[in-house]
Amino acid sequence: MPRYEYRCNECSSVFEAMRPVAARHEPTPCPGCATPTSVLVMSLANVKLSTPALADDAVPQGGSCGCGGGCSCC
Ligand SMILES: [Zn+2]
C-alpha cells in the first residue's frame, strides 16, 4: 500500500498515511487533532523518485566557483 503525505485543514500539521490508491483523495483523520478533514499533499513514492535527480543537478560540475564552467574564473 503506498504512503501519502497529508495536511490537516484544522491544525495545519503534515503527516504520512498508508492508503489504498483508490482512497488517496479521501479525508484522513489527523493524528494531532483527529479531524478527518486532511487533504492529500503528494505521493511520497513520487517524491523519492524525483529527489535524486534534483540532488545531482545541484552538484557543481565546473571550476572552483561552482558555476559549471560558464564564467571567466574557471
Ligand atoms: Zn489536525
Side-chain angles (χ1 to χ4, degrees), residues 6-15 25-41:
Y6 294 87
R7 189 184 70 247
C8 177
N9 288 335
E10 289 296 314
C11 66
S12 297
S13 66
V14 176
F15 59 95
H25 287 300
E26 294 180 6
T28 304
C30 170
C33 66
T35 302
T37 56
S38 308
V39 295
L40 176 67
V41 177

Side-chain angles (χ1 to χ4, degrees), residues 29-62:
C30 170
C33 66
T35 302
T37 56
S38 308
V39 295
L40 176 67
V41 177
M42 65 181 69
S43 167
L44 293 179
N46 290 339
V47 173
K48 288 178 180 175
L49 285 174
S50 62
T51 300
L54 292 173
D56 288 342
D57 290 343
V59 176
Q61 299 293 325

